[in-house]
Amino acid sequence: MPTDVVKTSGVSCQSVTKEFNRGAARVLALQGLNLQISPGELTLIVGPSGCGKTTLISLIAGTLDATSGEISVLGQDLVHMSKREKTTFRARNVGFVFQQFNLLPALTAAENVAVPLVINGWTKAKALERAAVVLKSVGLADRMHFLPAELSGGQQQRVAIARGIVHDPQLLVCDEPTSAIDAKSGQVVMELIRGLALESNRVTMVVTHDQRVFGFADRIVSMDDGRVSGEQRQTPADANHGTEQR
Amino acid sequence: MNWIALKMLTGDQGKYYALICGVTFACLLIAEQSATFCGVMMRTTGLIQDIHGADIWVMNSNVRYLDDLKAISDDAVFRVRGVPGVSWAVNLYRGMGEAQLASGNFQSMILFGVDDASLAGAPIHMVVGKVGDLQIPDSILVDEAGFHYMWPGEPLQAGKVLEMNSHRVVVVGVFRASQTFSTNPIAFTRFSHAILYVPPATRMIPFVLAKSALGLEPADVARRISQQTGLKALSKPDFVWVTMMYYLAHTGVPINFGTTVILGFVIGCAVAGQTFYLFTVENIKQFGTLKAMGLSDRRLVGMILLQSLVVGGIGYGIGVGLATVYGIIARKSFILLSFFLPWQVLAITALAILLISLLSSVFCIRRVLILEPAIVFQGG
Ligand SMILES: Nc1ncnc2c1ncn2[C@@H]1O[C@H](COP(=O)(O)OP(=O)(O)OP(=O)(O)O)[C@@H](O)[C@H]1O
Ligand SMILES: [Mg+2]
């Protein structure tokens, strides 16, 4: 792939630093990080705890501001965006999947999935209609009206994935999506994420330290001490093996 | 987003009810204290409220409040009648009389003397007898509380005999009076009798009661009377107001009650604000998630305001309802309780609750606005 394609539709980070000030103490979470990510493939970010993985995807998703460096996401310059522009950017283009699911406990599965659409101005009725379709695609057609507390961890994470892609974002960021659920559910979740990455040609980044899911990746980026320390491309074990979703 | 805000609010029933309880408590406290305050203030003007029929009070220009009795000239009533816009005008006596009971005991009384011919200004809420009985020579009407005070344990009845300033007077009727501060019985008789029943030193005309012509504003007519006669003339509501203001300015009652009302407001603010703030803090992750997903600050603020206004509205409804029920029960249980819940108290309470809701949401809004959306990635 020529590099300009990456710049317009993928993610590009150049000499990115992020410094946290905690009182007098300064923490350099990212120090001159460079990274290019292409759409249509599943990229895993791995590395020891505290190396800056979450900080990195927060910067790319636009929920955090870099201290210095250049970040371009989907052809847009994040560093020079206003706060308001970033908010709109996130609403339109970014899907999130969190370790702790972060579903709204008072909303049913379908209502939770509808939230990003409502944020984007859809009516409640239309959003719920669309949410039902997407929930079906993650195998939860029969759990539509359940509250998060009435679902298993794996099911909750599938609801969260449906919510992450319901508005068809071009960037999907997942932070430790499998570490709060059991191994089998983790496989199901990763299969879903992988399918979604390929199907819509979106930029899909998954932060993980769960070795069992490494096999799903096209590319594994290793980080250490706020920098990219290595990377590896692989032919994924692929989604052929079992698509049983319950 | 409104439906999401409401679901968030009602989703956690425990917190939701705690919030409503907090606001309800604040509302009850403010409404109840204000109503008691109003009740107490109303007592200062009960005697004005009880004079029916006339809508204008005319008095000496130096009079500051109801109990400030100063004489006006005998021809004042004629001068008032001559003012255009005055439908009729009559003298009203008001003074203190000393009554001797059959038992030999003496009892001070607030004595009103109404116009002999028309009986204008006489009480209308009769419990025993009728107002017209005042036409019987040497008759008086006494108020219900006063009757019980003078003849404890006896049933309300006509025919009781008193002696006032060496005149034998007969109680021909009993009426219901508004509450006042004083324990003195209130008596009504005709003007010509009243001046005989009191010591010579207090024989004077303190008030002229007037009625404005149909279609004219009493306050306007009162102003005209003042201009033409040099006397002080006030519409009934204005006289009530002036008297109330006098007590407000010159007694400790308002300060004491005002303090409680303010305390109610502060405690209400603290309780409601605290619960609402806790609610936001406990839901901070949810707000963070919405923020990360691209919900604008403006809409987040809208959600919080909606939540606090809904809680405020419901708390207000229940609180005012409880205050009313309290008032009804309390008034039935202790006659002496002052409780008056006019729409002004409801409005002030509503305003206070609105303020409490807005104040507490300001803290929550601040908290959510400074929230970094990136916190959603932090575990826990
Ligand atoms: N909000 C913050 N304030 C101060 N320091 C922070 C903040 N967020 C992260 N850090 C620091 O930045 C560094 C990188 O943190 P980050 O969360 O990105 O690590 P991570 O690779 O995601 O770790 P883990 O695998 O444990 O989730 C850490 O040293 C952390 O303490
Ligand atoms: Mg992390």
Side-chain angles (χ1 to χ4, degrees):
Chain A
M1 286 275 134
T3 44
D4 55 341
V5 172
V6 171
K7 273 194 176 149
T8 51
S9 58
V11 170
S12 160
C13 300
Q14 271 164 22
S15 322
V16 172
T17 64
K18 175 65 189 179
E19 193 178 294
F20 290 106
N21 292 309
R22 214 184 248 145
R26 288 174 29 207
V27 180
L28 211 49
L30 295 179
Q31 14 198 336
L33 176 138
N34 295 303
L35 182 64
Q36 314 279 327
I37 297 171
S38 316
E41 55 182 32
L42 181 55
T43 308
L44 292 194
I45 313 283
V46 302
S49 180
C51 71
K53 306 181 293 292
T54 297
T55 304
L56 173 64
I57 60 162
S58 300
L59 291 178
I60 291 173
T63 58
L64 203 63
D65 297 328
T67 306
S68 70
E70 295 297 323
I71 304 176
S72 152
V73 178
L74 311 173
Q76 304 213 41
D77 175 8
L78 276 198
V79 174
H80 298 103
M81 249 186 217
S82 70
K83 198 168 161 254
R84 185 174 295 188
E85 286 168 336
K86 264 191 187 168
T87 304
T88 312
F89 174 81
R90 289 200 303 272
R92 300 247 166 85
N93 303 308
V94 187
F96 294 89
V97 176
F98 309 100
Q99 177 175 358
Q100 298 296 333
F101 327 134
N102 290 20
L103 298 172
L104 303 190
L107 304 191
T108 64
E111 288 167 343
N112 262 294
V113 175
V115 167
L117 297 176
V118 175
I119 290 177
N120 277 296
W122 289 41
T123 62
K124 183 184 179 186
K126 282 216 148 142
L128 283 176
E129 212 171 281
R130 174 85 190 120
V133 174
V134 179
L135 266 180
K136 202 173 285 174
S137 76
V138 298
L140 288 175
D142 55 342
R143 294 290 189 276
M144 215 86 85
H145 305 296
F146 283 48
L147 291 173
E150 298 162 346
L151 297 171
S152 73
Q155 289 169 334
Q156 288 188 57
Q157 195 59 300
R158 279 192 274 157
V159 173
I161 290 169
R163 178 179 69 177
I165 51 103
V166 70
H167 51 312
D168 202 21
Q170 282 308 293
L171 170 66
L172 180 64
V173 291
C174 315
D175 196 4
E176 311 270 8
T178 61
S179 57
I181 54 182
D182 64 277
K184 192 154 167 286
S185 300
Q187 298 289 317
V188 174
V189 159
M190 284 312 292
E191 273 163 25
L192 276 172
I193 292 176
R194 174 163 180 79
L196 293 166
L198 303 182
E199 145 199 312
S200 291
N201 199 44
R202 58 184 121 231
V203 178
T204 309
M205 301 174 66
V206 177
V207 168
T208 188
H209 60 248
D210 184 355
Q211 303 239 351
R212 293 168 304 191
V213 308
F214 282 16
F216 289 94
D218 295 296
R219 183 181 173 207
I220 300 178
V221 175
S222 312
M223 283 181 65
D224 198 6
D225 205 12
R227 291 191 188 85
V228 172
S229 60
E231 69 163 273
Q232 146 192 4
R233 281 199 167 273
Q234 64 179 29
T235 312
D238 224 5
N240 315 347
H241 67 93
T243 30
E244 18 69 78
Q245 300 168 0
R246 70 125 293 151
Chain B
M1 289 312 290
N2 291 350
W3 62 274
I4 297 177
L6 293 180
K7 278 218 156 185
M8 268 176 85
L9 177 66
T10 54
D12 188 333
Q13 299 204 335
K15 274 183 230 158
Y16 178 56
Y17 293 140
L19 265 174
I20 289 186
C21 281
V23 178
T24 300
F25 175 70
C27 177
L28 179 63
L29 211 61
I30 295 171
E32 196 272 321
Q33 284 300 321
S34 313
T36 306
F37 175 70
C38 284
V40 168
M41 288 323 290
M42 288 306 282
R43 286 187 172 211
T44 64
T45 64
L47 291 175
I48 306 176
Q49 319 266 9
D50 281 354
I51 303 295
H52 296 276
D55 53 17
I56 298 169
W57 287 62
V58 185
M59 62 209 88
N60 189 301
S61 57
N62 296 320
V63 170
R64 290 161 301 163
Y65 60 105
L66 176 67
D67 299 315
D68 189 14
L69 297 172
K70 295 197 169 81
I72 52 178
S73 63
D74 291 356
D75 66 349
V77 66
F78 303 110
R79 277 154 54 209
V80 172
R81 282 178 189 156
V83 175
V86 172
S87 169
W88 51 257
V90 293
N91 285 327
L92 175 75
Y93 180 79
R94 183 202 185 293
M96 293 301 290
E98 193 84 355
Q100 189 175 18
L101 308 182
S103 64
N105 289 337
F106 284 92
Q107 173 64 52
S108 294
M109 283 187 167
I110 297 169
L111 186 65
F112 281 97
V114 297
D115 182 53
D116 282 62
S118 63
L119 301 183
I124 55 172
H125 301 297
M126 296 301 295
V127 185
V128 171
K130 50 189 195 300
V131 174
D133 295 344
L134 276 184
Q135 298 295 3
I136 301 168
D138 292 322
S139 61
I140 62 166
L141 307 175
V142 298
D143 74 303
E144 195 179 1
F147 186 97
H148 290 307
Y149 191 77
M150 290 187 285
W151 297 287
E154 293 192 37
L156 296 176
Q157 55 186 288
K160 287 282 173 192
V161 177
L162 295 168
E163 197 181 300
M164 294 184 81
N165 197 30
S166 311
H167 290 264
R168 179 182 178 276
V169 296
V170 181
V171 175
V172 293
V174 179
F175 63 94
R176 181 160 297 151
S178 300
Q179 295 175 331
T180 65
F181 272 124
S182 130
T183 55
N184 288 328
I186 304 163
F188 275 80
T189 184
R190 282 184 277 154
F191 188 89
S192 59
H193 287 27
I195 53 172
L196 298 177
Y197 296 166
V198 294
T202 58
R203 284 178 194 161
M204 56 157 179
I205 303 174
F207 296 110
V208 167
L209 293 179
K211 172 84 179 166
S212 57
L214 205 67
L216 293 180
E217 273 300 312
D220 293 337
V221 177
R223 211 167 302 124
R224 219 178 288 163
I225 295 173
S226 296
Q227 279 165 6
Q228 290 197 17
T229 63
L231 298 166
K232 178 181 269 186
L234 295 169
S235 69
K236 187 172 169 182
D238 284 347
F239 193 34
V240 164
W241 183 250
V242 165
T243 298
M244 230 186 241
M245 282 302 123
Y246 176 84
Y247 281 100
L248 264 179
H250 294 96
T251 69
V253 175
I255 298 176
N256 294 329
F257 270 97
T259 314
T260 333
V261 174
I262 291 171
L263 217 64
F265 183 79
V266 171
I267 293 174
C269 262
V271 171
Q274 168 114 337
T275 25
F276 194 61
Y277 187 66
L278 274 181
F279 171 81
T280 308
V281 169
E282 281 169 32
N283 288 331
I284 202 77
K285 190 121 191 180
Q286 298 186 43
F287 285 115
T289 304
L290 291 171
K291 207 168 175 174
M293 292 197 297
L295 189 65
S296 66
D297 285 349
R298 210 168 51 94
R299 290 168 80 189
L300 275 170
V301 169
M303 284 177 76
I304 295 175
L305 281 180
L306 177 69
Q307 290 174 340
S308 73
L309 289 180
V310 164
V311 168
I314 295 175
Y316 173 74
I318 302 178
V320 164
L322 286 180
T324 310
V325 170
Y326 165 82
I328 292 170
I329 293 175
R331 227 185 330 201
K332 279 206 175 126
S333 325
F334 352 92
I335 303 282
L336 291 178
L337 184 94
S338 299
F339 189 90
F340 178 56
L341 197 68
W343 68 266
Q344 285 92 337
V345 166
L346 296 183
I348 286 172
T349 310
L351 222 70
I353 295 299
L354 183 70
L355 209 67
I356 288 175
S357 302
L358 292 181
L359 269 181
S360 53
S361 48
V362 163
F363 289 103
C364 303
I365 287 169
R366 213 187 88 84
R367 178 79 190 238
V368 169
L369 287 187
I370 58 171
L371 180 69
E372 282 268 8
I375 66 130
V376 287
F377 287 115
Q378 268 133 42

